[in-house]
Amino acid sequence: MDSVLAFLLGVVIIVIGLAVSIGLHEIGHLVPAKLFGVKVTQYMIGFGPTIWSRRKGETEYGLKAIPLGGYISMIGMFPPAKGERVHADSTGFFRGLVQDARDSSTESITPGDEHRAFYLLPVWKRIIVMFGGPFMNLLLAVVLFGVLLMGFGVSQASTTVGSVSACALPATSERQTCEPGDPAAPGAAAGIEPGDRIVSVAGEPIESWNESTAIIRDHPAKPVAFVVERDGETIELEVTPMLSERFVIDEKGQVVTDASGEPLAESAGFVGISAAAETVQQPVTAVLPAVGENVAGVAGIILNLPQRIIDVANAAFGPEERDPNGPMSVVGVGRLAGEIATIDEIPIASKAATMVGILGSLNIALFVFNLIPLLPLDGGHIAGALWEGIRRGFAKLFRRPDPGPVDLAKLMPVTLAVVVVFGAMSALLIYADIVKPVQLF
């Protein structure tokens, strides 16, 4: 029963966090729109039936049953058509979509509010209104990653020995347990013990685990002086790293992979010790780089989304495992949060840090995804405003008549196609997260 309650608590935390993130996203649109004089008739969190609403001034604020999105309604989103009116009932389905969008935009403008239509705003103001939503998600992500990195801290390798291998096996070996006849690991043979803090290696003071690793890898078959601190005493040891096949690591201590994603291996010195982890609070200067890395990661997933979706489909309908770094639906994220909440071995502080990290990553995803330059996403409106600015700029430069606002209503057929594609991808991800969820443990 306790595990069920813990699972539900993890899911509820993510749902509430997502709803708050969506609400702040819409506030990012609402505030500049009102400041610029646009009439906003609705501010809603969620989709489906309205479960609560209240009107304040000219705007209705409310909550809907499905907290997986949100919107604000601004009058006059699309400009009226130029020239002769085109009727939806005589020009086919797609032109009907275009005309319906224009008619809906026109009908939203009440008498006396004609000057408050969204499409009448200068280009730069429209960009601010549409970028305000994603910007709020980016700002929230910065705050959450600040709490995660500066408050909770990051688990990283210390200079203390966490474990000592009894034998030496190549990194690429399929067998990772010692058997009779395996060569003894140099660290164990030299007397290094778990809990020893490495003070220096080969006469070089050690400030990080990567420093000791680099020296060891560069000294195969050569005696190396180790100075460790054990129970308050300084002990000198002599260790001879053996030449062994090890994975290639970069300056951050991460395994280097080839183009296919397989880890690269090389012959290097090996002692057979691993670091104990410690949680270290990061400086404020670490926050923005971390956010930037997450933005780049999400952008990479989106740029490769077709292949990623194919991989998800292959996993959902075949024997393949899900990629833990691949796309995931809200259902998958909630399930993952619930599973983390049920693991007794994870301390409460670590669980809280994980929830903060998940919400930070969700806001990064909302920021990047909404900037895709396709309607109905914010990026589509921003792209339309930028194109209008370019057209009007060239017209002014060459002293031509003002071409007027860009008619984004003409893109309604494309918008419909985008909605259908995104809907299909969402359905696939939800199905995959139910039948073949991502396994992190």
Side-chain angles (χ1 to χ4, degrees):
M1 186 65 179
D2 290 342
S3 62
V4 173
L5 291 176
F7 183 90
L8 292 176
L9 177 61
V11 173
V12 169
I13 289 173
I14 295 302
V15 170
I16 293 176
L18 180 61
V20 171
S21 300
I22 292 171
L24 291 175
H25 175 100
E26 299 306 330
I27 286 177
H29 294 309
L30 177 74
V31 172
K34 284 183 169 289
L35 288 176
F36 294 148
V38 178
K39 184 176 181 179
V40 181
T41 58
Q42 280 189 317
Y43 168 92
M44 291 288 172
I45 299 176
F47 295 111
T50 301
I51 58 177
W52 173 86
S53 70
R54 176 174 296 177
R55 180 171 296 278
K56 184 176 180 180
E58 62 189 14
T59 305
E60 178 189 10
Y61 300 85
L63 300 173
K64 290 183 174 289
I66 306 174
L68 298 180
Y71 65 92
I72 67 169
S73 295
M74 297 180 286
I75 68 170
M77 287 295 296
F78 303 115
K82 293 183 179 180
E84 184 179 356
R85 180 180 178 85
V86 180
H87 294 282
D89 58 357
S90 62
T91 56
F93 176 72
F94 291 120
R95 288 191 178 182
L97 286 176
V98 174
Q99 190 57 42
D100 286 345
R102 291 198 187 108
D103 290 345
S104 177
S105 177
T106 301
E107 290 169 1
S108 69
I109 304 175
T110 51
D113 292 324
E114 292 82 0
H115 63 290
R116 301 180 65 190
F118 174 75
Y119 78 88
L120 292 177
L121 288 179
V123 167
W124 67 271
K125 288 186 177 181
R126 269 180 282 159
I127 291 175
I128 289 176
V129 171
M130 300 314 298
F131 183 70
F135 177 76
M136 286 296 289
N137 292 126
L138 178 63
L139 187 62
L140 186 54
V142 171
V143 172
L144 290 170
F145 274 97
V147 172
L148 177 65
L149 299 177
M150 299 168 58
F152 290 101
V154 174
S155 179
Q156 61 186 42
S158 67
T159 57
T160 299
V161 178
S163 62
V164 180
S165 300
C167 63
L169 296 174
T172 55
S173 174
E174 295 182 359
R175 177 171 56 85
Q176 296 299 319
T177 57
C178 297
E179 294 182 358
D182 289 336
I192 298 178
E193 298 180 1
D196 289 350
R197 185 179 69 84
I198 299 177
V199 178
S200 68
V201 177
E204 297 290 335
I206 298 301
E207 299 294 335
S208 70
W209 188 263
N210 288 341
E211 292 177 352
S212 64
T213 300
I215 296 173
I216 292 169
R217 294 173 74 96
D218 291 340
H219 290 77
K222 298 177 183 178
V224 177
F226 267 66
V227 177
V228 301
E229 184 181 283
R230 181 185 303 166
D231 298 328
E233 297 183 7
T234 299
I235 301 175
E236 296 182 3
L237 301 170
E238 185 177 272
V239 184
T240 303
M242 67 182 299
L243 187 64
S244 177
E245 187 179 33
R246 315 312 304 169
F247 290 131
V248 179
I249 57 175
D250 58 20
E251 64 277 0
K252 295 182 179 180
Q254 303 298 315
V255 176
V256 178
T257 58
D258 58 19
S260 64
E262 294 297 321
L264 297 175
E266 64 178 0
S267 295
F270 173 73
V271 169
I273 57 176
S274 61
E278 62 179 352
T279 301
V280 180
Q281 293 179 330
Q282 303 297 303
V284 66
T285 53
V287 176
L288 291 183
V291 171
E293 289 180 5
N294 275 266
V295 169
V298 174
I301 291 177
I302 291 176
L303 289 175
N304 297 285
L305 194 56
Q307 183 58 50
R308 297 277 191 160
I309 292 297
I310 292 174
D311 293 340
V312 171
N314 290 335
F317 300 104
E320 293 84 357
E321 293 296 324
R322 290 282 298 278
D323 180 1
N325 296 316
M328 190 185 306
S329 72
V330 175
V331 172
V333 174
R335 180 171 183 166
L336 183 62
E339 290 177 352
I340 291 172
T342 61
I343 300 176
D344 295 333
E345 290 77 11
I346 300 178
I348 296 295
S350 296
K351 291 180 181 180
T354 301
M355 298 299 172
V356 171
I358 290 175
L359 291 174
S361 298
L362 275 175
N363 275 275
I364 291 292
L366 289 172
F367 167 71
V368 177
F369 183 77
N370 275 286
L371 289 182
I372 297 175
L374 294 172
L375 291 175
L377 301 174
D378 299 329
H381 291 280
I382 293 172
L386 289 172
W387 176 239
E388 179 180 321
I390 292 172
R391 288 202 319 164
R392 285 181 157 174
F394 274 106
K396 185 176 182 180
L397 179 64
F398 294 104
R399 298 184 179 181
R400 294 174 181 172
D402 186 346
V406 171
D407 188 4
L408 292 181
K410 292 181 179 179
L411 297 178
M412 281 301 105
V414 178
T415 302
L416 177 62
V418 171
V419 170
V420 171
V421 170
F422 283 166
M425 289 193 301
S426 298
L428 172 62
L429 288 173
I430 291 172
Y431 174 78
D433 287 333
I434 294 174
V435 302
K436 187 70 74 68
V438 172
Q439 301 292 337
L440 296 182
F441 306 100

